[in-house]
């Protein structure tokens, strides 16, 4: 049987498959296609048809021999970033409809007088106060006024609202009012989607809970429509099994869950890469890895320490706080399709705007007029006109030169080649600075880490960036162009639940915390069973989110047990102080702490995710003449181009190594070696004394 993973990015969609047909030889096949933004489901089917051809069969037969399809998509993220979600209203406790506008008082940079805040997703006229009130302990002090709810529904009908977010004060302690409001909305507006904060984010902090609930209401109808369309299209080819959807947490869920909480898929693609990074760390027994994933739209970073990745309880996307568990991923707008611009002071900027797949970079010859990183790489001779995207797309160097001349060279008053060299250096430093952010600026020594190259373009930057941070090596997996979809093949079906749970150190009560954990465990077991995970095939992971009393943010403390006794207080006390010291380099053992939230994850047991092997196809080595700056040399130089079958021999830079869908730049003073079948290691050459 086969397993298939599909990762839809902003520019390309990746398909990775492993297994066998008719009990034949196991194979590992992957392809890349441009993303179809106009009709995403149609694009997926077309890609699967092409994948079936690679297996020398029909799509119907391929699906009949497939046991699992996993899918990550940027649809929710794009809807949020482009502000193209559905028309949404907010029902909230009367007097609190401006929580989204007031936000929090702190800024990312308090000294920046030009700092901007993200736009409010719901206009004030559609933020409607509902007469009700729940007290801080969950008791009702003002009953729900159902007439005010029906009046609000009437207004939403007049405004043609498609989705409603409901967020009442302290509903995470008592959700009864929100639940009743949903019943009324379903009566009055049966076609409108409803998102309850008590379902989406049942935890403390009104603003963050409201934002998360609103974003879910804003994007879910779009994702739901797409997923139902995809199910229908796959059903036409005989697929009746579930579709596993990749979540921000690095786990897999299903379509019914995503139809309710699509906000869980905002970073589903990069999360697949994070899981792949974690699995690669264990397969290679390398404790410290940094994944650099440069796709067509963005550059994503993920770090592994001690063979494990971090899950953060809250993150920000475009300035919006999201209180859903997410892999700790840092992203910037520096992909192959990132548009290059020059301002009036002659500063060169890379991204964040992307040309996407249509019209794409100027060299695609599909109508794009703006210069991108891909255009620059083409003009520098680092990618070929006739062998882009596995030979599916022929590039136009003339169009690339024209765009660079108009958008970069003329404003800078320099040559096209000099412009390209500057852009290459700016893009490299932009990515290197992001690496510094997640290593040195967080107290980690980059010299301890290996840099994993992922995505179609990062191999042309990775060695130079590794060198600037004095990292150990660059690792190039064969599957690096489709690394996120490969990671999804090793993802586990998973369910996360978070509950606000207030307990100070001085009021430690093991019976009370055990009761809450048992309740959360039952929820996890029920959801895992819905996902098809057998009761003897899953495990649990508990995190206590704790802070010093009076502190603003809590930290997650992983626990290796699900039941506590009175003597465990000292264990938790030590773990909290030690973890706080590891993160911030100080602890306050004289101060008391308090538990704020409990986070329990249930997931199926280990899933195997084998490495891909080097390709056996070969071509004759040849030389190209290119500018030397990218290879740490001056003037134009001759560079030898190698294929995968040459990797048995040590390759010394300057050189280019060609893989399917990507190329790797080996600068002067670097050399390659095979770390494992399908994994190439590139390090600085050891100088002989």
């Amino acid at each position: 049987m086969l397993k298939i993973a599909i990762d839809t990015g902003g520019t390309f969609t990746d398909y990775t498959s492993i297994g066998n047909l008719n009990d034949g030889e196991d194979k590992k096949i992957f392809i890349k296609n441009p993303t179809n933004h106009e009709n995403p489901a149609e694009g997926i089917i077309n890609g699967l048809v092409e994948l079936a051809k690679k297996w020398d069969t029909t799509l119907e037969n391929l699906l009949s021999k497939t046991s699992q399809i996993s899918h990550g998509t940027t649809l929710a993220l794009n809807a949020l970033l482009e502000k193209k979600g559905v028309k949404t209203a907010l029902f909230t406790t009367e007097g609190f409809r401006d929580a989204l506008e007031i936000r929090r008082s702190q800024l990312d940079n308090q000294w920046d007088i030009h700092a901007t805040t993200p736009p409010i997703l719901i206009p004030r006229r559609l933020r409607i106060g509902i007469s009700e009130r729940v007290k801080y302990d969950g008791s009702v002090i003002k009953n729900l006024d159902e007439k005010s709810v029906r009046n609000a529904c009437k207004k939403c009908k007049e405004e043609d609202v498609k989705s409603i977010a409901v967020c009442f004060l302290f509903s995470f302690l008592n959700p009864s009012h929100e639940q009743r409001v949903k019943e009324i909305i379903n009566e009055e507006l049966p076609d409108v989607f409803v998102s309850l904060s008590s379902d989406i984010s049942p935890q403390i902090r009104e603003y963050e809970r409201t934002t998360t609930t609103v974003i879910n209401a804003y994007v879910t109808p779009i994702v739901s429509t797409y997923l139902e369309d995809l199910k229908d299209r796959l059903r036409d080819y005989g697929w009746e099994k579930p579709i596993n959807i990749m979540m921000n947490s690095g786990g897999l869920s299903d379509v019914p869950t995503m139809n309710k909480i699509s906000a869980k898929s905002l970073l589903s693609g990069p999360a697949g890469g994070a899981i792949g990074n974690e699995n690669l760390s264990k397969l290679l027994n390398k404790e410290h890895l940094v994944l650099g994933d440069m796709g067509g739209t963005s550059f994503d970073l993920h770090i592994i320490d001690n063979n494990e990745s971090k899950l953060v309880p809250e993150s920000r996307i475009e300035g919006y706080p999201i209180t859903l568990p997410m892999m700790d991923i840092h992203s910037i707008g520096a992909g192959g399709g990132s548009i290059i611009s020059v301002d009036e002071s002659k500063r060169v900027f890379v991204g964040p705007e992307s040309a996407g797949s249509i019209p794409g970079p100027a060299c695609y010859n599909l109508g794009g007029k703006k210069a991108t990183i891909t255009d620059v790489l083409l003009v520098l001779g680092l990618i070929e006109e006739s062998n882009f995207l596995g030979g599916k797309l022929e590039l136009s160097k003339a169009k690339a030169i024209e765009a660079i001349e108009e958008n970069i060279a003329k404003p800078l008053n320099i040559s096209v080649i000099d412009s390209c060299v500057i852009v290459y250096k700016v893009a490299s430093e932009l990515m290197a600075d992001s690496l510094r952010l997640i290593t040195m600026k967080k107290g980690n020594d980059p010299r301890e880490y290996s840099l994993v190259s992922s995505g179609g373009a990062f191999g042309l930057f990775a060695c130079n960036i590794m060198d600037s941070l004095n990292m150990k090596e660059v690792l190039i997996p064969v599957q690096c162009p489709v690394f996120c979809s490969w990671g999804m093949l090793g993802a586990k079906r998973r369910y996360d639940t978070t509950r606000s749970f207030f307990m100070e150190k001085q009021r430690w009560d093991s019976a009370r915390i055990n009761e809450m954990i048992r309740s959360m465990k039952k929820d996890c077991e029920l959801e895992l069973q819905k996902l098809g995970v057998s009761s003897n095939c899953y495990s649990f992971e508990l995190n206590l989110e704790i802070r010093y009393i009076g502190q603003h943010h809590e930290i997650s403390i992983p626990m290796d047990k699900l039941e506590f006794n009175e003597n465990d207080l000292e264990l938790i006390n030590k773990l909290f102080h030690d973890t706080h010291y590891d993160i911030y380099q100080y602890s306050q053992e004289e101060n008391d702490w308090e538990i704020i939230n409990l986070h329990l994850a249930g997931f199926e047991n280990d899933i195997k995710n084998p490495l891909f092997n080097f390709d056996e196809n070969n071509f004759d080595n040849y030389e190209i003449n290119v500018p030397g700056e990218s290879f740490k040399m001056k003037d134009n130089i001759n560079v030898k181009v190698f294929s995968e079958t040459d990797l048995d021999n040590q390759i010394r830079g300057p050189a280019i190594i060609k893989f399917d869908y990507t190329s790797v730049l080996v600068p002067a003073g670097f050399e390659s070696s095979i770390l494992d079948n399908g994994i190439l290691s590139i390090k600085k050459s050891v100088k002989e004394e």
Side-chain angles (χ1 to χ4, degrees):
M1 295 294 283
L2 295 168
K3 290 175 68 176
I4 297 174
I6 307 166
D7 173 32
T8 302
T11 305
F12 298 109
T13 298
D14 302 338
Y15 305 79
T16 305
S17 56
I18 59 174
N20 62 76
L21 287 176
N22 304 318
D23 297 323
E25 179 186 357
D26 276 1
K27 293 183 180 180
K28 304 163 188 174
I29 297 176
F30 63 80
I31 62 170
K32 291 177 77 76
N33 266 343
T35 295
N36 186 333
H37 293 285
E38 295 298 320
N39 192 335
E42 179 69 20
I44 296 296
I45 295 299
N46 291 340
L48 287 172
V49 168
E50 184 178 333
L51 182 67
K53 290 179 181 177
K54 290 286 186 179
W55 282 92
D56 196 25
T57 187
T58 64
L59 179 53
E60 289 89 345
N61 189 50
L62 183 78
L63 293 179
S64 71
K65 304 297 183 181
T66 298
S67 61
Q68 178 177 311
I69 293 178
S70 302
H71 184 26
T73 174
T74 59
L75 205 61
L77 180 62
N78 289 342
L80 177 61
L81 298 183
E82 297 170 9
K83 305 301 179 288
K84 293 182 179 179
V86 300
K87 193 171 187 179
T88 305
L90 170 65
F91 290 3
T92 189
T93 303
E94 196 171 44
F96 291 85
R97 68 173 179 163
D98 292 321
L100 290 177
E101 202 110 34
I102 296 170
R103 299 182 171 91
R104 291 290 177 190
S105 59
Q106 75 268 22
L107 299 172
D108 291 337
N109 183 355
Q110 61 180 325
W111 311 113
D112 185 1
I113 61 175
H114 300 293
T116 59
T117 53
I120 308 299
L121 297 176
I122 301 177
R124 197 169 191 268
R125 71 179 188 280
L126 293 179
R127 305 198 299 263
I128 304 170
I130 302 296
S131 180
E132 66 85 42
R133 193 63 180 268
V134 171
K135 201 175 175 182
Y136 68 89
D137 60 0
S139 61
V140 176
I141 55 176
K142 187 175 186 180
N143 290 325
L144 176 68
D145 180 0
E146 296 192 3
K147 184 178 179 181
S148 69
V149 180
R150 297 186 190 277
N151 288 337
C153 289
K154 182 179 179 181
K155 183 173 184 179
C156 289
K157 186 174 183 178
E158 293 170 354
E159 292 274 358
D160 195 27
V161 164
K162 303 298 182 184
S163 184
I164 298 174
V166 183
C167 189
F168 293 154
L169 290 181
F170 300 106
S171 60
F172 58 90
L173 294 175
N174 183 350
S176 60
H177 285 179
E178 286 192 356
Q179 291 167 349
R180 177 55 186 152
V181 166
K182 183 175 182 178
E183 292 174 355
I184 295 173
I185 295 173
N186 289 338
E187 293 171 9
E188 300 288 334
L189 304 168
D191 296 328
V192 170
F193 176 73
V194 184
S195 178
L196 302 183
S197 74
S198 52
D199 292 337
I200 309 303
S201 178
Q203 52 190 291
I204 193 174
R205 295 196 177 98
E206 176 197 358
Y207 169 60
E208 290 79 3
R209 183 162 48 93
T210 303
T211 301
T212 304
T213 308
V214 165
I215 288 174
N216 187 68
Y218 188 69
V219 303
T220 294
I222 292 173
V223 177
S224 176
T225 299
Y226 159 67
L227 291 177
E228 291 301 320
D229 188 18
L230 180 60
K231 279 177 58 180
D232 290 342
R233 294 304 310 276
L234 287 172
R235 192 178 294 115
D236 292 341
Y237 292 89
W239 182 262
E240 297 288 348
K241 300 171 186 175
I243 304 173
N244 295 296
I245 308 300
M246 193 73 193
M247 298 186 292
N248 311 320
S249 63
L252 296 172
S253 189
D254 59 4
V255 171
T257 299
M258 288 300 106
N259 286 346
K260 299 175 183 176
I261 316 179
S262 291
K264 287 185 175 182
S265 69
L266 283 164
L267 291 180
S268 62
I275 291 298
N277 197 26
E278 185 174 329
N279 288 336
L280 189 67
S281 169
K282 294 172 181 176
L283 286 168
L284 300 180
N285 195 27
K286 287 185 176 288
E287 293 185 346
H288 305 291
L289 296 180
V290 176
L291 175 71
D293 182 9
M294 186 181 186
T297 304
S298 65
F299 176 62
D300 304 318
L301 286 167
H302 174 259
I303 193 166
I304 291 286
D305 279 314
N306 300 316
N307 299 120
E308 294 182 352
S309 56
K310 290 183 179 178
L311 200 67
V312 291
E314 179 184 323
S315 59
R316 286 181 175 268
I317 298 179
E318 286 293 291
Y320 299 104
I322 309 287
T323 56
L324 294 171
M326 290 195 182
M327 304 298 285
D328 194 3
I329 296 166
H330 179 70
S331 300
I332 60 172
S338 293
I339 293 171
I340 315 300
S341 59
V342 179
D343 71 3
E344 294 177 354
S345 62
K346 296 189 176 182
R347 291 185 299 172
V348 176
F349 292 90
V350 176
E353 185 183 359
S354 173
S357 55
I358 302 293
C363 62
Y364 282 16
N365 204 17
L366 297 174
K369 300 294 183 183
K370 296 180 179 180
T372 68
I373 290 178
T374 299
D375 295 301
V376 167
L377 296 176
L378 176 62
V379 174
L380 287 176
L382 303 182
I383 55 179
E384 299 180 20
E385 289 182 81
S386 60
N387 193 35
F388 187 74
L389 201 62
K392 297 176 185 176
L393 182 62
E394 185 162 347
L395 303 181
S396 170
K397 190 172 182 178
K399 291 289 185 182
I401 291 173
E402 184 180 320
I404 293 167
E405 173 75 34
E406 185 66 30
N407 295 286
I408 308 172
K410 282 184 178 179
L412 294 177
N413 195 28
I414 58 176
S415 71
V416 168
I417 291 296
D418 288 343
S419 299
C420 291
V421 170
I422 288 174
V423 170
Y424 181 88
K425 291 179 177 179
V426 169
S428 298
E429 189 53 37
L430 189 65
M431 289 184 276
D433 196 50
S434 295
L435 265 168
R436 293 185 186 98
L437 181 66
I438 67 168
T439 54
M440 287 188 284
K441 292 183 180 180
K442 291 191 175 182
N444 299 314
D445 187 348
R447 293 174 298 182
E448 296 180 356
Y449 292 84
S450 297
L451 177 60
V452 180
S453 176
S454 169
F458 191 51
L460 295 171
F461 294 88
C463 288
N464 287 320
I465 292 172
M466 176 269 280
D467 188 31
S468 70
L469 276 80
N470 294 313
M471 302 177 79
K472 283 184 174 182
E473 62 186 335
V474 171
L475 300 177
I476 314 288
V478 167
Q479 69 272 21
C480 68
V482 294
F483 195 83
C484 291
S485 60
W486 174 77
M488 291 174 194
L489 292 175
K492 306 170 184 177
R493 286 171 287 183
R494 177 185 178 112
Y495 181 77
D496 294 81
T497 179
T498 301
R499 304 270 185 90
S500 282
F501 180 86
F502 309 108
M503 182 181 289
E504 295 181 6
K505 175 184 175 182
Q506 298 300 329
R507 298 184 179 181
W508 172 252
D509 184 343
S510 60
R512 181 170 161 244
I513 194 171
N514 288 338
E515 182 181 1
M516 177 62 80
I517 293 170
R518 282 193 293 270
S519 173
M520 296 169 71
K521 186 179 176 184
K522 286 181 180 178
D523 289 346
C524 280
E525 290 173 336
L526 181 61
E527 293 299 325
L528 288 171
Q529 289 168 12
K530 289 180 182 178
L531 293 174
V533 183
S534 302
S535 59
N536 60 343
C537 295
Y538 54 71
S539 305
F540 295 95
E541 187 177 89
L542 175 68
N543 279 268
L544 308 182
E545 295 175 11
I546 309 178
R547 68 182 182 186
Y548 289 115
I549 293 176
Q551 197 173 22
H552 189 270
H553 289 293
E554 55 274 4
I555 60 175
S556 291
I557 311 298
M559 305 299 301
D560 59 1
K561 55 169 60 184
L562 297 180
E563 188 170 346
F564 298 93
N565 57 48
E566 295 304 314
N567 297 327
D568 286 325
L569 176 61
E570 286 308 312
L571 169 65
I572 296 172
N573 185 67
K574 184 177 187 309
L575 284 172
F576 171 66
H577 290 305
D578 289 349
T579 305
H580 197 281
Y581 185 86
D582 288 342
I583 296 173
Y584 300 110
Q585 294 302 295
Y586 80 94
S587 62
Q588 299 174 335
E589 297 188 18
E590 69 279 7
N591 291 346
D592 285 343
W593 45 260
E594 59 184 349
I595 299 173
I596 300 298
N597 295 316
L598 305 180
H599 174 227
L600 184 66
F603 46 84
E604 63 183 322
N605 296 331
D606 288 345
I607 304 297
K608 292 183 179 180
N609 196 13
L611 295 171
F612 277 50
N613 302 325
F614 289 122
D615 196 348
E616 296 180 358
N617 294 328
N618 193 14
F619 59 81
D620 292 332
N621 299 331
Y622 60 93
E623 287 189 353
I624 57 175
N625 187 264
V626 298
E629 283 84 355
S630 304
F631 295 86
K632 297 188 177 295
M633 301 177 74
K634 295 180 179 179
D635 303 321
N636 277 22
I637 60 172
N638 288 326
V639 173
K640 207 162 194 177
V641 180
F642 296 90
S643 69
E644 290 180 46
T645 50
D646 298 311
L647 300 181
D648 287 337
N649 301 314
Q650 193 173 65
I651 295 174
R652 295 178 181 270
I656 289 177
I657 304 172
K658 290 177 61 176
F659 292 84
D660 286 341
Y661 302 107
T662 191
S663 296
V664 177
L665 184 154
V666 184
F670 286 70
E671 58 189 20
S672 71
S673 61
I674 292 179
L675 187 67
D676 200 337
N677 189 10
I679 303 289
L680 187 69
S681 171
I682 303 177
K683 298 181 179 179
K684 292 193 74 171
S685 304
V686 178
K687 294 181 180 179
E688 296 182 2
E689 304 206 2

